[in-house]
Amino acid sequence: MAKVGVYVCHCGSNIAGVIDVEAVRAFAETLPDVVIARKDLFMCSDSGQEQIKQDIRDGLVDRVVVAACTPRTHEPIFRAACEAGGLNKYLFEMANIRDQASWVHPHDPEGATEKAKLVVASAVGKAKFLQPLEDKFVNVTDAAMVVGGGVGGIFAALELANMGHKTYLVEKEPSIGGIMAMLDKTFPTNDCSACILTPVMVDAAAHPNIEVMTYSEVVGLDGYIGNFTVKVNRKQSYVDWNKCTGCGACAEACPAKAGDEFNQGLNDRPAAYIQFPQAVPKKAVIDMESCINCAGRKIGSEPKVSKKTGQPMLAPCEKACPADAINRSLAHDPAGSIEEVNVGSIVVATGYKVMEKESFKEMAPESPNVVTALQLERIISATGPTGGKLLRPSDNKKPKTINFVSCVGSRDEKHHTHCSRVCCMYMIKQARLIKEKYPDINIYMHFIDVRTAGKDYDEYYTGARKMGINILRGKVGGMEILPDDRVRVLGFDMDQQEPVEIESDLVVLATAIELPKSATTLGQTLGLQFCGSGFFRELHPKLGPVETSTRGLYLAGCCQGPKDIPDTVSQAKGAAAAAAVPLAQGRVKIEPILSEVQPEKCSGCGICVPLCPYNAISLKEWGERPRAEIDITQCKGCGVCTTACPSSAIRLHGYEEDQIMAQIAALTS
Amino acid sequence: MSLKLKKENIDEAVRTIMELGGKGILNCVQCGACSAVCPGVKAGFPVLCRLLIKKLTTGQLEEIIEEPSSWGCQACNRCTEVCPQGVRPQEVVFAFRRYQANEMAISTSTTTSQMNFYETGHAVYTESSKELRKQVGLPEAPPTTVSDAQGLKEIQTLLENSPMGELGFF
């Protein structure tokens, strides 16, 4: 006979504000097999947990039901309390009377109380059939992968590598560095972005524990925490990176043109190119999308022999390369070459993109003098298309009036409702940099409201006002193109309650930060969840900011939500610390809430095999016939096989038939 | 004099506007994009879009009942296009107009147009146009309800049966 103890939590006013906790407690006492029912203001507090432990030690109870908030955050806490009291922790059951009663029925206290009683009855019904289970352990591959080679990924990789773990740093572009490498200066200190980032990029590339895999993309993931197999597509570059010295001769020789991604499409780059001057690794690639096969030198073929000279006719890039590193004879393979990498944990730091101006038809996107803030960043950067001179794109003349427009696509129901968080600061940064260099330029900034919270940030903003930068409170409603490629900005000055019109030579749009399409695909490949804003969802917005719902996968940087460089680096170091835990322990625990086949009942029909979403089931010879077998490292305990098995041969531990039937009986009686 | 904010007034103003069709009023974050593009605001009717919403959400429904700005709305709907919060400011303006009309607090400019409409089928119809038409060789009265008694009667019947007619406007 089970001795069930029920503990009802007030959760402060979270539960007790709606539900009559005493009524639920008194009701629990009347349930069969319940020997004790208590309540506490906070069951998760030390005293609350101690009560459970004491009742177990005193031999009063041998099954524990806690009616409280949510198993998502609190099941581990109460399981641990049971264990500490000397009870198998799987003899614990949680009744969620917060999410399922008090929170969803705040205006119906009586109904919520009745529902809470039912939820408790259901948990008690199950509890008496609970059986002790043992945790299982598997060994861990001592290596980590960081996906994304921006500032977040670089710091996560360095952190893991410095802890002594082999780390693969995967980046889809030819060089690591990400968007930070494109920035001119960084707020609020105005230090040169490349100058602070490049040494770190070099450190990462030179680290004995880091293997940098650039021009590579993750295309597949198998396995589970501790034992992941990641498929990495190493894109074809047609340049032997062992020979390439990064001299750039091929780029100079290449006549093909394509939009320069690094310069935000403001100028063209050749098809053979080095991504940017400080690239790490500094290696050339030939991008087949824009290659024009000069001299009929098609990729994947041997060169034709000249009738005149008898020499092979080579493409300009091949001829120019002093290191003989270019190999155009390689067959073109758009799938690239797939490499399998075994790691124990993965940090995802794939970053962000800014929205293109084309999404905003009211902002005159057809004008070349309307640019995104990231384009302006390239225009004022020494490595940018104008060599750092501030020139407007239409005619390469110095602008006299510049307008900055905030919240373009952010805080907007038509695009993204979230605040992109860094725009106010980077716009002020750009305005200040321009004003410092060219005090004669008129600068107007339009804000819904200025968001510069935190240490040194608001000082940076007030400093901009002191420099004579005009700040107008009010969102820009539209723009009109004027002769001479000027733009009329239709704004509003809230303080004067009047619409304002400013004729402008250059307009800078602070477009929203969003997850790039490639990251969305990657997220689906890795099985990550997405939040309402379209970014990757963390395990818990407060208590699990670097973890995901998949154990062994961690998040850092803007792929989890907009953030600036300091926040990205902090989160990257946090994610690396979390990702190092399983590696450092050498083994990971697997909860025994898993399916198990009873081979003597299994008919070997195989229905379960294709149904399993985790490929955990296979048919194995047992006796004379094939029977299903479940790989516990793959099984996630979803229960699909259990419900589908026609012979009822599969048990899902923790959700056995008698337990579920008892729950149903309690809910329907 | 400072503005006295009262919860009852705010609730009543918001409820009144929402019931009359301005359902998005509480979405407003006072960014001003609507007023930046509003031709009415530019023409000197300040209490449109943003400022109208501000006044309503501070409970000044009765205080601004005689405000003529709302009648400056040209229904171009640019405010709705640029509003980042889905307020649909034009619907708020029209809801406020309905409130004004129900209380017979209609600006004289609008009354004249309404009466013109009832009498001729045109909101704007002036005597001087007759002369102008004659000069270019057209008949004095255009071939609309002005010269079509049957058509005018139909318009008048429609107007009499409209909410404006129910107010005893004609």
Side-chain angles (χ1 to χ4, degrees), chain A residues 196-219:
Chain A
I196 56 173
L197 182 65
T198 314
V200 188
M201 289 158 64
V202 173
D203 277 356
H207 201 291
N209 284 342
I210 296 181
E211 186 175 330
V212 176
M213 304 169 84
T214 56
Y215 218 42
S216 300
E217 279 180 281
V218 169
V219 291

Side-chain angles (χ1 to χ4, degrees), chain A residues 301-323:
Chain A
S301 62
E302 291 303 319
K304 289 180 201 146
V305 177
S306 164
K307 282 178 189 147
K308 280 187 202 156
T309 62
Q311 295 295 313
M313 287 159 65
L314 296 174
C317 53
E318 286 172 298
K319 274 193 253 175
C321 180

Side-chain angles (χ1 to χ4, degrees), chain B:
Chain B
M1 197 190 81
S2 56
L3 183 66
K4 256 190 201 155
L5 298 188
K6 282 192 193 157
K7 186 180 183 298
E8 313 86 78
N9 293 359
I10 295 171
D11 289 350
E12 198 207 333
V14 170
R15 196 184 57 245
T16 304
I17 295 300
M18 287 179 119
E19 280 171 2
L20 290 171
K23 292 195 186 64
I25 184 168
L26 287 178
N27 291 359
C28 180
V29 296
Q30 291 288 311
C31 73
C34 51
S35 294
V37 294
C38 175
V41 170
K42 280 182 201 170
F45 294 104
V47 193
L48 268 179
C49 305
R50 183 200 72 83
L51 189 53
L52 176 65
I53 293 171
K54 184 76 203 177
K55 286 187 182 285
L56 291 169
T57 51
T58 47
Q60 302 176 73
L61 180 69
E62 285 172 29
E63 287 84 342
I64 58 168
I65 191 162
E66 301 283 352
E67 176 62 50
S69 285
S70 53
W71 302 98
C73 172
Q74 298 298 306
C76 71
N77 232 349
R78 280 193 77 185
C79 51
T80 301
E81 264 175 53
V82 299
C83 174
Q85 299 298 326
V87 175
R88 306 182 71 88
Q90 194 208 312
E91 288 179 0
V92 175
V93 173
F94 273 54
F96 180 64
R97 275 197 198 175
R98 287 180 195 116
Y99 164 75
Q100 288 178 303
N102 286 337
E103 305 292 326
M104 290 303 275
I106 302 174
S107 96
T108 41
S109 62
T110 308
T111 321
T112 315
S113 309
Q114 292 289 339
M115 292 316 293
N116 270 347
F117 190 33
Y118 185 79
E119 279 158 19
T120 65
H122 292 259
V124 180
Y125 186 75
T126 57
E127 287 297 313
S128 59
S129 68
K130 289 181 184 170
E131 192 60 33
L132 201 64
R133 289 180 65 87
K134 216 158 57 178
Q135 277 173 20
V136 297
L138 288 169
E140 268 185 31
T144 61
T145 43
V146 175
S147 51
D148 177 0
Q150 176 62 29
L152 186 62
K153 183 76 201 141
E154 282 176 22
I155 283 195
Q156 287 172 344
T157 309
L158 284 170
L159 284 173
E160 278 157 11
N161 289 304
S162 74
M164 295 298 278
E166 282 163 30
L167 287 171
F169 201 79
F170 305 111

Side-chain angles (χ1 to χ4, degrees), chain A residues 528-548:
Chain A
L528 292 171
Q529 293 179 335
F530 296 89
C531 70
S533 299
F535 296 98
F536 295 143
R537 186 190 288 283
E538 64 285 327
L539 181 66
H540 188 279
K542 294 170 194 74
L543 305 179
V546 302
E547 295 87 348
T548 68

Side-chain angles (χ1 to χ4, degrees), chain A residues 410-468:
Chain A
S410 312
R411 306 173 70 191
D412 188 329
E413 289 207 326
K414 295 189 286 291
H415 304 285
H416 296 295
T417 51
H418 62 258
C419 165
S420 292
R421 198 169 159 187
V422 290
C423 323
C424 285
M425 280 302 283
Y426 72 60
M427 286 194 334
I428 293 167
K429 172 195 77 179
Q430 294 177 336
R432 286 179 60 134
L433 293 175
I434 292 169
K435 200 75 181 171
E436 269 170 22
K437 210 167 165 189
Y438 314 98
D440 55 317
I441 293 182
N442 302 316
I443 298 178
Y444 299 92
M445 313 189 71
H446 304 264
F447 290 103
I448 297 181
D449 42 35
V450 176
R451 298 186 167 180
T452 55
K455 195 170 69 171
D456 292 336
Y457 281 26
D458 208 60
E459 292 87 332
Y460 196 68
Y461 160 50
T462 44
R465 281 189 181 272
K466 286 178 196 163
M467 291 169 74

